[in-house]
Amino acid sequence: MPCFAQREKEMPKHVHAEPVHDALLKRAAQCASLEGPEAATRVLLDPFPESAPPEKLFRAAVRTCLNARKAAAALPLFERLASNPGLRRRMAALEIEALVKAEDMAGAEAFLARARLWTPPVAAVEQWGIALACAQEEPDAAIVLLYRHLDRFGDDVAALLPVLQQVRHKEPLTDALILRYGDSLTDPRVMIAFAWGMWNGGRPSEALYWVERVLAAGVARPPLYMLAARAAMASGDAAKARRMLSVGLMSILPEDLVGNSLLALQEILLSEDNLLEFQRELLASGEFSFSRELRSALQLTGGEMEGIIERYLRDSAAPGFEFNAREFIFFCGACIETSRYDLVRAELVRIPPEAELDTHHLIRILRMPTVEETPATRAFVINRLRALRMVDEDTPSSLILGLSLADSSADRATFAQRCAAFLDQGYPAHELRLFLAEHGASIAASVPDPAVAERLRVHSATAMDVLSDPTSLSFVNSERHLCEIMHQRMIEAGGDTPKVSILAPVHRAADLPNLRDCIARQTWPDLEAVVVANGPLCGDPAVEAAMSGLATVKVLHHHGRRVGEFLNTAADAAEGAYMVRFDADDIYYDNYVTTAIRTMQSSNADMAGKSAVFFYSETFNRIFLARHARYFADARQLGYYGTGSTQCFRREVFEKIRFIEHIDRGEDYLFYTNAIQTGWKVFNLDPFNHLIIRRTDRSAHTWHAGDRALFPGALHCLGGPQNINRLATLSVPTPPIRLAHICGLSPETLRPANLTSPAHSPPAEVPLPRQTGRPSA
């Protein structure tokens, strides 16, 4: 890309440099998400001489590596500045940050020793000296440096906060800072750092102490009230939580509450004894200037879908109605939860022409079930898309939006050409390729230009082959081998074998054979299952008949309609010291319970779940590894939670934190959240021995979003269902693994193939037909 450097020489810098740099930053951000930080740094730095990169772009290149947790990749970049001492000195704080985060302690110490000879001293470099002492687990040295830093650079602690942000997870240092220094320093910014440090460290009572000190000092910001409310609730003081939240609600703008404080609403108001009463008091008091969208948020947290729908319909029909995009999204969500898809389509085309809708809103609307299926709604969104100022460069989302909705030959030709050109460059673009695998052939048939149509057909036909990269299967095989070693060691380490209870709600008769098989094949020696029949199966003797022969199964029948009710009912009836959730339509392999419980025991965890999960998509007839995340690690440090179908927890956790019963979705997320914030240790399990099944019929699932919504986090496609047995560790799965009732594949097609385990010799190879296209009905 020498053109950018040439353009810089030919243009006055103050006029043209910034737009060129902005274009490079935009392209680098796209490369970072599609190809990784190394590609992004090449985009930012290669157009310029090595020793004289623009300072803004060099910082962006280093920060890209740090944000991707590849600090070691940033270190060679600083060697470019060897002949540019002025620029390298300006980059000093960034360089030592990279050294510390790359765990190059010797290099960081040497760099710090040189930097301390500079005149005048650089405050930001000294801050990272404190962080270096923390990283070396030397809290006393860190405190000495902290005192020296404040003596040297004054009482302004704004520069100190990044250090506290870096070290707040180091509990010994945080405790020492608070004990020896915290009470003598009354600057609210430092107290806020302590409050967040305690909160993120799972110590809500201490977080509440510090945030109350900040509020008493006169810093009355809405986010602090929300933190105080959450910390009070996690500390067991519900009255104080509601009081803090009420004050925060009075002081915060409604639009801010909807966006940034919905978590506080969910965590504090979602308990059966206070939610509806408190919510009614808020809405009826007349003391708050609530907007329509805020009322929708409050009702959404309480599961009052009909109230949201009725109010929107009433307001939209009134004279002088002012359209609000976020309120409309709430309305659509309520309609989808109640399966009123026709109402979404009808109201969509009634949106006033002057209403403001940005690309984000259009993409969210498009992803709602059935919206793209009618000409009127398609025409509405494509017309709005034309009216927007389009970005300079295509993205997978904008191309999907255009291809989905284009209804004229000219539009189809334009978007097809742009899509083909985009994919010709070799971008992985998982979501776009999956879209083409599903819809590309029909789109190509309507493109008037034969050459463009053929290119689109080729990309559509090869989409799954591109995504089914053999390296993905090799990667998963190596990961499975490592996890087998870990599982084997945990089992060999021994330990007690307490009773484990499987909690299994079921509402479809077609899922009963699979659920029975999953329970029967488990290898844990002391196991029971509590099956809760609900929906159409409530009161049906077919459930008991399906579970006959399994001596350790209790069958209960429940007339409720929410998952939280079923799980609480099952857990109340369970006798196990550990509880494990089963989804009736997922596949749980032989050693699922064994590996989960042994992992929890070896890590001394109170709760566990899988953030990285395998799932089979009936739409694409492929198995994917989605939401790939580091496992065998503390969920608090990772920052994400497991899926609901993989939750495992000790009885003591359930006795303190029950599932929320009056919401239609999200009870799993809130259970994880409440466990972490009340101090339980939550662990992230590996993805093996479990497979999520996603049907083409989205209404068959609690979450109605299409499979493509899973793919921004999907890193690997494993190919067709013939690889289903590669997901097991320690032993070959007990046949049959049933997919017949979901995708029409016979058990014979799914015999173990190409699987090696420590406990079994490799089975004979079975020739398998190549899986192409969509599965049969």
Side-chain angles (χ1 to χ4, degrees), residues 333-346:
C335 291
I336 291 169
E337 288 296 334
T338 53
S339 300
R340 301 175 69 175
Y341 304 118
D342 291 340
L343 192 54
V344 174
R345 294 194 292 265

Side-chain angles (χ1 to χ4, degrees), residues 122 190 308 324 531 573:
V122 181
V190 175
I308 297 173
N324 181 290
V531 176

Side-chain angles (χ1 to χ4, degrees), residues 496-552:
D496 60 342
T497 54
K499 174 172 281 190
V500 175
S501 299
I502 294 172
L503 314 180
V506 60
H507 67 279
R508 282 187 298 264
D511 291 334
L512 289 172
N514 177 68
L515 179 58
R516 186 192 192 283
D517 286 347
C518 289
I519 295 171
R521 68 166 62 101
Q522 297 305 311
T523 58
W524 188 259
D526 191 358
L527 189 72
E528 69 165 1
V530 183
V531 176
V532 181
N534 59 88
L537 288 180
C538 184
D540 191 336
V543 184
E544 283 83 353
M547 300 298 153
S548 63
L550 296 178
T552 57

Side-chain angles (χ1 to χ4, degrees), residues 476-498:
V476 169
N477 279 336
S478 64
E479 290 290 288
R480 178 173 56 82
H481 177 65
L482 292 174
C483 288
E484 280 188 323
I485 294 173
M486 295 291 290
H487 293 162
Q488 194 67 42
R489 288 179 178 175
M490 293 171 185
I491 291 172
E492 290 173 353
D496 60 342
T497 54

